[in-house]
């Protein structure tokens, strides 16, 4: 078993985008702040949720002595834009590791420690919480059509973009701060779920190391999925746009470990 000390040795900020996640957010925050470190904090990025999630996040900030911070945005601009804004805020706040995860409880908080540890032990740019490596799994309650869509999407984008990671659409990741500065989330084209694929593509283009940590992905117990037909269409077309993209990292390759 990996040691717990790697988590405590880093300033970690967990970026959690929210839109109508009032029912699930309190338990997630409780679980995150119960991790064995006082160097971890939570940044909620709320897109002006009609259900009052942003106001609830402000209350959590007050009750946790500031270990929860809130970035309020004017409206719903897409998951990718929310993550990019949150990552920029986390870097400005001095994060050494930035974790991205959903607010709906589908990503296991218990995996953050192994992910941060794997990030350090493998000299990697990003640790991916992966459903599709040995030891990874998906909740039996997840509908069959979502399973087919997820597995098919992974196979599709990996083939089109020649990505080495098994879970290319994963939304649960731990990033080294210097890797995010190289990848530059603020300049991504993707506004929705394909943000995850574009970030994975940029890691590959930059020649950086990804490591995958197996997780058990569970079905949300509160709220509803934000997956729409528009989001699915963007996800279908984005890999081909990325193949034509001229993006290249602005850094000396010696700055970060390269893939072998």
């Amino acid at each position: 078993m990996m040691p717990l000390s790697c988590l405590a040795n880093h300033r970690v900020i967990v970026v959690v985008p929210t839109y109508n996640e009032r029912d699930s957010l309190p338990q997630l925050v409780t679980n995150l702040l119960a991790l064995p470190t006082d160097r971890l904090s939570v940044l909620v990025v709320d897109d002006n949720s009609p259900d009052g999630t942003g106001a609830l996040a402000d209350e959590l900030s007050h009750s946790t002595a500031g270990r929860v911070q809130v970035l309020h945005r004017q409206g719903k601009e897409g998951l990718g834009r929310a993550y990019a804004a949150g990552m920029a805020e986390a870097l400005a706040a001095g994060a050494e590791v930035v974790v991205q995860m959903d607010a709906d409880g589908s990503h296991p908080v218990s995996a953050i420690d192994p992910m941060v540890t794997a990030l350090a032990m493998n000299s990697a740019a990003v640790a991916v919480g992966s459903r599709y490596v040995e030891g990874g799994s998906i909740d039996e309650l997840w509908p069959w059509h979502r399973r087919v869509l997820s597995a098919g999407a992974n196979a599709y984008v990996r083939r089109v973009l020649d990505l080495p990671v098994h879970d290319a659409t994963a939304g649960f990741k731990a990033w080294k701060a210097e890797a995010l500065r190289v990848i530059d989330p603020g300049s991504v084209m993707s506004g929705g779920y394909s943000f995850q694929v574009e970030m994975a593509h940029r890691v590959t283009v930059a020649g950086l190391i990804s490591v995958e940590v197996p997780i058990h992905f569970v079905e949300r117990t509160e709220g509803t999925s934000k997956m729409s037909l528009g989001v699915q269409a963007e996800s279908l077309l984005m890999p081909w746009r990325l193949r034509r993209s001229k993006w290249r990292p602005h850094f000396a390759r010696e700055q970060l470990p390269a893939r072998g």
Side-chain angles (χ1 to χ4, degrees):
M1 184 175 180
M2 292 182 177
L4 296 176
S5 59
C6 284
L7 179 61
N9 288 343
H10 296 87
R11 169 82 170 98
V12 179
I13 296 182
V14 182
V15 176
V16 182
T18 58
Y19 188 78
N20 290 345
E21 299 287 359
R22 182 181 179 88
D23 293 334
S24 59
L25 184 62
Q27 187 60 59
L28 175 63
V29 167
T30 297
N31 294 344
L32 285 169
L33 298 188
L35 288 171
T37 175
D38 59 2
R39 301 192 68 195
L40 179 145
S41 60
V42 183
L43 174 61
V44 177
V45 183
D46 187 67
D47 279 5
N48 198 21
S49 297
D51 73 346
T53 302
L56 174 62
D58 286 333
E59 294 174 12
L60 292 171
S61 180
H62 291 306
S63 66
T64 59
R67 287 190 68 188
V68 175
Q69 294 294 312
V70 189
L71 176 60
H72 293 280
R73 304 203 314 149
Q74 293 302 308
K76 190 176 181 182
E77 299 178 29
L79 182 68
R81 300 286 178 254
Y83 267 129
M87 288 170 172
E89 189 86 357
L91 293 177
E96 297 172 298
V97 173
V98 178
V99 175
Q100 60 169 94
M101 69 186 305
D102 292 346
D104 61 12
S106 59
H107 297 148
V109 170
S110 59
I112 291 178
D113 190 359
M115 288 166 66
V116 173
T117 301
L119 196 62
M121 294 181 67
N122 292 278
S123 299
V126 58
V128 179
S130 180
R131 299 160 290 183
Y132 299 118
V133 291
E134 184 177 357
S137 57
I138 295 176
D139 196 328
E140 294 178 355
L141 296 178
W142 220 35
W144 69 268
H145 63 278
R146 293 292 303 277
R147 289 170 175 265
V148 171
L149 179 63
S150 176
N154 263 290
Y156 172 70
V157 299
R158 290 183 67 211
R159 180 69 178 269
V160 173
L161 295 173
D162 193 25
L163 299 178
V165 291
H166 294 83
D167 199 343
T169 61
F172 189 22
K173 298 185 178 85
W175 296 88
K176 282 185 179 173
E178 56 266 34
L180 281 181
R181 293 188 179 97
V182 168
I183 297 302
D184 187 19
S187 68
V188 300
M189 296 184 289
S190 309
Y193 284 81
S194 58
F195 172 83
Q196 317 296 3
V197 175
E198 185 164 356
M199 292 289 279
H201 174 65
R202 288 194 174 194
V203 169
T204 301
V205 170
L208 304 180
I209 297 172
S210 297
V211 61
E212 293 185 82
V213 175
I215 66 165
H216 178 63
F217 180 90
V218 301
E219 173 66 309
R220 65 159 60 232
T221 57
E222 306 288 349
T224 58
S225 173
K226 312 301 189 298
M227 183 68 71
S228 66
L229 288 176
V231 168
Q232 293 178 44
E234 182 196 37
S235 299
L236 183 67
L237 296 174
M238 186 56 67
W240 298 100
R241 291 183 64 191
L242 293 175
R243 279 188 57 152
R244 296 192 299 269
S245 170
K246 303 300 183 183
W247 181 84
R248 293 295 181 272
H250 299 289
F251 77 113
R253 194 168 286 272
E254 292 77 14
Q255 286 181 240
L256 284 172
R259 290 189 294 123

